[in-house]
Amino acid sequence: MSLTSKTAIITGSNSGIGLGVARSLAAAGADVVLNSFTDRDEDHALAAALAAEFGVGARYIAADLSDGAQARALVTKAGRCDILVNNAGIQFVSPVDEFPTEKWDAIIAINLSSAFHTTAAALPMMREAGWGRVVNIASAHGLTASPYKSAYIAAKHGVVGLTKTVALETAEEAITCNAICPGYVLTPLVEAQIPNTMKEYGMDRESVIRNVMLARQPSRQFATVEQIGGTTVFLCSDAAAQITGTTLSVDGGWTAL
Ligand code: NAD
């Protein structure tokens, strides 16, 4: 699959799944725009390293996606957007009656509303180019629930709803919009949950991974960032031109249970 001459914006891509997706798109020939809310030398160096490794254009644009205006400005500053991957996300775990309002608001803003703003800014560019792909990184938690993750699950179900709506609004154009629903992927977001879970359950790391985290993932294996990247590249391919408004689970069987 060659994505040469396409420009991809991947939100939240200085680590984890976003960086993995950016690497896969760059490997397929796309110019990539990396993003997060920080503006450090190492963020820009990450883009330079991708450009050197894959021989593509790569830039880093800082934007705090909890702010809708910054989310739109990210797309405007990129100047072109053939492929939009809405990936930025955060997590917070608490019973719903104790859930801090500021955490709820931040999760809804970053995990859901930013995708609305970037999509709204990107669609006119895709229409101008006559081709576009929107890939939303939702979650198995966009299709199922777990206790104590109310904001995350509400946001991810919202992303799936947004995906379907954007697909219908672009259905007669050469633009598709789909959501990838990963199960557990071992990234910094997940790694950060391990120490507390070890304490909570009085278990060692391997037991937490196998018996708590992957308890609902029948494969008992983490999905990888390369697998999410490969699925994204597939959704950008001609073979996927009639796939729109749907969810693709990469979850080792979680949602088959
Ligand atoms: P991660 O913490 O490694 O990456 C999250 C990215 O979002 C980082 O680049 C971070 O800097 C960025 N980000 C956070 N707040 C931001 C803000 N305000 N503005 C701009 N960028 C911001 O986590 P990850 O596991 O790679 O998660 C990426 C996406 O995949 C998230 O949407 C997450 O919900 C989803 N997901 C992850 C898993 C998993 O098991 N890791 C499973 C399903 C879905």
Side-chain angles (χ1 to χ4, degrees), residues 11-20 35-38 40 43 60-67 70 74 86-91 106 109-111 114 137-141 152 156 180-191 193 217 222-223 225 228 250 254:
T11 69
S13 46
N14 66 352
S15 87
I17 292 173
L19 181 56
N35 152 264
S36 183
F37 58 92
T38 49
R40 307 165 300 185
D43 296 320
Y60 178 87
I61 300 178
D64 182 344
L65 300 185
S66 62
D67 173 4
Q70 289 194 43
L74 164 63
N86 287 307
N87 166 78
I90 58 169
Q91 175 65 283
I110 296 166
N111 295 21
S114 74
I137 307 299
S139 169
H141 279 132
Y152 186 87
K156 294 298 186 181
I180 297 176
C181 292
Y184 270 111
V185 185
L186 192 56
T187 64
L189 181 141
V190 167
E191 189 64 53
Q193 297 173 37
Q217 198 147 313
F222 286 112
V225 300
I228 309 302
V250 184
W254 178 330

Side-chain angles (χ1 to χ4, degrees), residues 6-252:
K6 306 293 188 203
T7 296
I9 301 175
I10 307 100
T11 69
S13 46
N14 66 352
S15 87
I17 292 173
L19 181 56
V21 168
R23 289 182 59 79
S24 294
L25 289 169
D31 293 335
V32 291
V33 175
L34 305 184
N35 152 264
S36 183
F37 58 92
T38 49
D39 200 3
R40 307 165 300 185
D41 288 347
E42 64 204 78
D43 296 320
H44 295 273
L46 206 52
L50 274 189
E53 184 175 351
F54 297 107
V56 296
R59 276 183 295 158
Y60 178 87
I61 300 178
D64 182 344
L65 300 185
S66 62
D67 173 4
Q70 289 194 43
R72 288 174 188 256
L74 164 63
V75 178
T76 314
K77 282 181 193 165
R80 183 178 176 110
C81 183
D82 305 292
I83 298 164
L84 172 65
V85 182
N86 287 307
N87 166 78
I90 58 169
Q91 175 65 283
F92 188 80
V93 178
S94 166
V96 68
D97 51 329
E98 295 168 16
F99 213 95
T101 301
E102 65 275 14
K103 293 287 186 195
W104 173 276
D105 289 344
I107 289 177
I108 299 298
I110 296 166
N111 295 21
L112 174 58
S113 301
S114 74
F116 155 66
H117 291 294
T118 53
T119 303
L123 279 183
M125 294 179 179
M126 292 178 179
R127 288 187 167 125
E128 178 77 31
W131 188 93
R133 294 286 187 267
V134 181
V135 179
N136 294 323
I137 307 299
S139 169
H141 279 132
L143 303 168
T144 65
S146 301
Y148 313 127
K149 295 183 176 175
S150 54
Y152 186 87
I153 287 162
K156 294 298 186 181
H157 277 70
V159 166
V160 171
L162 176 67
T163 301
K164 293 178 185 175
T165 308
V166 171
L168 292 180
E169 292 185 18
T170 56
E172 293 190 25
E173 304 165 80
I175 297 172
T176 68
C177 179
N178 293 287
I180 297 176
C181 292
Y184 270 111
V185 185
L186 192 56
T187 64
L189 181 141
V190 167
E191 189 64 53
Q193 297 173 37
I194 295 177
N196 277 347
T197 317
M198 285 167 65
K199 252 188 251 163
E200 193 185 330
Y201 287 84
M203 287 180 177
D204 63 18
R205 183 184 162 86
E206 287 317 306
S207 305
V208 158
I209 289 174
R210 185 171 170 81
N211 300 323
V212 181
M213 293 189 143
L214 298 181
R216 289 172 74 182
Q217 198 147 313
S219 65
R220 299 287 176 129
Q221 289 177 47
F222 286 112
T224 66
V225 300
E226 290 79 11
Q227 290 160 357
I228 309 302
T231 306
T232 304
V233 171
F234 165 67
L235 286 173
C236 294
S237 72
D238 292 339
Q242 283 299 313
I243 299 177
T244 195
T246 196
T247 57
L248 249 173
S249 291
V250 184
D251 66 1

